[in-house]
Amino acid sequence: MAFFVPSHSRLRPPVTSTVVSMTTSAAAPTGSEGAITAGGTVTDRLVDANHTYAAAFTDPGMDARPVLHVAVVSCMDARIDLHKALGLHLGDCHTIRNAGGVVTDDVIRSLTISQRKLGTRSVVLIHHTGCGLEALTEDFRTELEMEVGQRPAWAVESFRDVDQDVRQSMQRVRTSPFLLHTDDVRGFVFDVRTGLLREVDPA
């Protein structure tokens, strides 16, 4: 399946390689840190940026349904610029991000709404190299309990083998009784040093 598009008018031919070139936000121009520290908070800077954005904004007139009928589940890592990396445009896909890009109950919730109410059919799962979850264990929940007096209800979802965790996420999607479309579920590992996307064999 190819879900990358150069425009909304036509799709690219199917991708034959399992390695796709990607870029990250690390390649973006520097200088934003100075703007943040110059005055005000980070949130103030974001609000100011929104005012600039809104001043030139025009309603694209899009439907809420993603053009490519695809949902992408990815890690929240700031080095991954999903839309730019995957050649996606505004309105092309649903993006669901969390720590690790793992398929949790809440991801299943979002995917279920995405498929049943907004017409997506394909699911792309993206983990990455050097993920922070590889340095954590479930002991993190115990540490939190000791600090705040309450044990988190959620699991850390830490892992040691990124490929195996991608396979587990694919399996969770494919076996969910809530999802209508589980025949086109593919998993990848994004290399934060090379910008390449490597497909993981589900077997």
Side-chain angles (χ1 to χ4, degrees), residues 117-138:
K117 297 301 181 182
L118 294 166
T120 61
R121 301 180 63 88
S122 301
V123 179
V124 175
L125 306 171
I126 300 177
H127 284 28
H128 67 94
T129 59
C131 185
L133 284 188
E134 295 180 73
L136 293 177
T137 69
E138 290 299 321

Side-chain angles (χ1 to χ4, degrees), residues 1 12 56 62 67 90 94 116 133 144 181 195:
M1 174 206 59
R12 292 181 182 176
M62 294 178 178
V67 172
L90 181 68
H94 281 156
R116 290 181 175 269
L133 284 188
L144 286 174
H181 308 290

Side-chain angles (χ1 to χ4, degrees), residues 2-15 67-68 83-84 86-90 92:
F3 55 91
F4 312 100
V5 291
S7 70
H8 289 313
S9 60
R10 65 184 178 87
L11 295 174
R12 292 181 182 176
V15 178
V67 172
L68 298 183
H83 275 69
K84 183 179 290 186
L86 300 178
L88 294 165
H89 298 280
L90 181 68
D92 277 348

